[in-house]
Amino acid sequence: MQLLPALWRQNCVLCADDAGNTALCPACWSDLSRMPDTTCPICALPVNESGTLCGSCLKHPPAYERTLAAYAFTFPLDRLVHAFKYHHQFSLLDTLTAPLIEALQHHPRPDAILPMPLHPWRLRERGYNQSLLLAQHLAHQLKLPLLIHACQRTRATAEQARLSRQQRLDNLRGAFTCDANVQDLHIAIVDDVMTSGSSAQHLAQALKHAGASTVECWVVARALHMR
Ligand SMILES: [Zn+2]
Ligand SMILES: [Zn+2]
């Protein structure tokens, strides 16, 4: 009976050292880029003083009210997200969501969780929606309902990562529809990475249009430097 625990041991996804029964060894885990202490509560970009809004959210408040990010989107966290998103490294689920689950212990709970929809073409290319896997894990851990088919991505937009900020905004115009009843609901959108926030903005607009009262974003990684 000694065999089974040995079989379950994993090599660290980043450095290939023994990681016990988790995806990362303790050294790589402590290297992951945490979020700064003071961030804008709406968009999670760094600000100088705790609890203050950034200039951009003051001037043009987005359609979502709050953003929680587990990590800053820098090396080596970007490699983990890539491995999870494109290379089926599902053993990373706990690592990628742990800071969110911790933060959500002291946070008002939404009524439901909604994964960032993936267009059916992209789903066929990739085989799975990484945001759905994250949302399922969070819904299970936090005992919250999951809305899987509430919203659709109606256009197969160009990959956001390759576009400039203005192109990202144009790219997503009218990209989402929501036909479920979300009237007066507080919804948390789950996504792997928030870069400019334009996907979250357009999905939040569609949710608000469908009657949602509050929308917040839960992301694994927040890009802290905008292009
Ligand atoms: Zn390691
Ligand atoms: Zn902000």
Side-chain angles (χ1 to χ4, degrees), residues 11-19 23-29:
N11 290 333
C12 172
V13 172
L14 285 172
C15 73
D17 266 7
D18 186 357
L24 290 187
C25 72
C28 287
W29 163 253

Side-chain angles (χ1 to χ4, degrees), residues 68-97:
L68 288 180
Y71 301 96
F73 190 50
T74 53
F75 181 83
L77 200 273
D78 55 350
R79 286 182 50 193
L80 296 187
V81 170
H82 186 89
F84 179 72
K85 186 167 178 174
Y86 297 106
H87 299 290
H88 305 81
Q89 284 283 2
F90 305 138
S91 66
L92 287 167
L93 261 175
D94 279 324
T95 304
L96 295 178
T97 56

